[in-house]
Amino acid sequence: LYADALPHLRQLAQLSPKDVAIQDGLGEAFEKTGNQGAALGAYKRALELDPKNENIRFKFALLLLQSGR
């Protein structure tokens, strides 16, 4: 499911690079498919767009802890 969504989310991110929800969705899809580095990058971009988003901050921090970074 997540692997199938990735190409579509990447395309959406190119069309709407400032859409926080798309960056968050990319982060989640990357995380669920085991690509922690890409997930962290997507969450970071989402936070740059919306630094006060507590949900994304939590996901980003949790993934940092889980990955030992």
Side-chain angles (χ1 to χ4, degrees), residues 18-40:
K18 294 185 179 186
D19 189 309
V20 175
I22 293 170
Q23 293 300 325
D24 182 35
L26 265 175
E28 188 171 337
F30 281 130
E31 186 176 354
K32 298 292 185 183
T33 57
N35 191 340
Q36 291 183 336
L40 286 169

Side-chain angles (χ1 to χ4, degrees), residues 1-58:
L1 178 68
Y2 288 100
D4 294 336
L6 274 171
H8 303 288
L9 287 167
R10 285 181 173 154
Q11 185 178 20
L12 286 171
Q14 287 180 339
L15 295 171
S16 300
K18 294 185 179 186
D19 189 309
V20 175
I22 293 170
Q23 293 300 325
D24 182 35
L26 265 175
E28 188 171 337
F30 281 130
E31 186 176 354
K32 298 292 185 183
T33 57
N35 191 340
Q36 291 183 336
L40 286 169
Y43 288 144
K44 184 177 179 182
R45 283 188 296 281
L47 285 173
E48 289 168 355
L49 297 168
D50 185 5
K52 294 183 180 185
N53 187 312
E54 292 182 15
N55 184 43
I56 298 170
R57 290 174 68 162
F58 177 78

